Amino acid sequence: KISKLVKTKTFKIGVLLISLIVVCLASYFIAFIGRIYPGVYVANIIVAGLKPEHAAYVLDQKISAPDKITAYYKDQTFEIGLDQIDFSYDFIKTAEAAYRLDRTGNLFVDFYQKASAPIRKVNLGLRFELDEEKLNEAVGIIAGEVGQEPVYPSVKIVNGEIAVDKGQNGAEVDSRAFRTEVGQVLAFRKSTRITLPLKTIDTALSEIESQRY
């Protein structure tokens, strides 16, 4: 039965197809030894097929760091010079991250990602360095300009009657959200104009709460 199966046309075609697939996959994997797999972009710049050192060179040639980040709130604008926070792109680490994307060490994950690479598009962010302490100082200065101190609830006696001041909510810069936005802007070369994210300092009493006060 086995010998008959081997001689059938269907079996021969199956073996031929499997052999063809194996040869194609082997050729594909060999072609990208030491190179970044297809479908990989960095800040919308294609680096697929390049060796890491070549990818770093391409990124260095095509990308210039912005001079500043402009934060604005209503009619106020604030500038943070990137030289003031020691900002710089690290193209070598960026290229290495692109190269390691499909080389995680997990055989099954890596095989799937490599096999599906020709039909995908992965856009990675640029790696960069900056002085977080200096950035926090700059954000702190801005926060002092746009922040609103809350007015806490209070009770007074006016003309022999108890009067409740419900207070007023304050506002402060959401430093974590702002840092996240800064990271996205610099990593993906987006517009360097950022709306300052504010969060409410909730101290005021609601109408119902003021009645119970």
Side-chain angles (χ1 to χ4, degrees):
K1 291 183 179 180
I2 296 176
S3 60
K4 290 182 179 180
L5 178 62
V6 170
K7 294 178 181 180
T8 61
K9 185 177 181 181
T10 302
F11 179 81
K12 292 179 179 179
I13 293 174
V15 171
L16 181 61
L17 288 175
I18 292 174
S19 300
L20 183 61
I21 291 172
V22 171
V23 170
C24 289
L25 285 175
S27 300
Y28 169 65
F29 291 142
I30 290 172
F32 283 92
I33 290 177
R35 298 179 183 272
I36 299 169
Y37 276 92
V40 181
Y41 294 72
V42 172
N44 291 317
I45 296 175
I46 188 166
V47 293
L50 303 179
K51 293 183 178 180
E53 58 270 21
H54 188 193
Y57 173 79
V58 169
L59 295 174
D60 186 34
Q61 294 298 305
K62 291 187 175 183
I63 295 175
S64 298
D67 297 325
K68 62 188 177 183
I69 288 175
T70 302
Y72 63 96
Y73 174 71
K74 294 183 178 179
D75 60 345
Q76 296 177 282
T77 59
F78 307 90
E79 293 182 352
I80 300 176
L82 293 184
D83 58 337
Q84 298 174 2
I85 58 175
D86 300 333
F87 171 83
S88 63
Y89 283 123
D90 192 327
F91 298 118
I92 294 177
K93 284 186 178 179
T94 301
E96 188 65 23
Y99 178 75
R100 293 293 176 190
L101 178 65
D102 302 310
R103 296 173 171 88
T104 65
N106 186 313
L107 294 178
F108 296 104
V109 172
D110 288 350
F111 180 83
Y112 173 78
Q113 291 186 172
K114 291 173 183 177
S116 61
I119 58 173
R120 71 175 179 189
K121 179 178 178 180
V122 178
N123 191 33
L124 303 178
L126 290 154
R127 301 299 191 265
F128 59 83
E129 296 179 355
L130 57 78
D131 191 316
E132 295 286 351
E133 186 174 341
K134 290 181 179 179
L135 176 59
N136 289 335
E137 289 177 1
V139 174
I141 293 172
I142 296 173
E145 295 289 331
V146 302
Q148 301 170 7
E149 290 292 331
V151 177
Y152 291 92
S154 61
V155 177
K156 299 178 182 178
I157 297 178
V158 179
N159 297 327
E161 295 184 356
I162 297 177
V164 177
D165 183 345
K166 294 186 292 184
Q168 184 176 347
N169 290 335
E172 63 182 1
V173 174
D174 190 334
S175 299
R176 181 175 295 182
F178 182 72
R179 175 62 182 83
T180 299
E181 187 62 24
V182 167
Q184 289 292 305
V185 163
L186 296 175
F188 293 96
R189 298 193 302 157
K190 298 180 179 180
S191 169
T192 54
R193 287 179 58 84
I194 302 175
T195 302
L196 275 172
L198 266 64
K199 58 183 179 181
T200 301
I201 304 174
D202 191 0
T203 58
L205 298 174
S206 66
E207 190 65 35
I208 295 176
E209 289 174 330
S210 65
Q211 293 175 2
R212 295 175 180 173
Y213 202 75

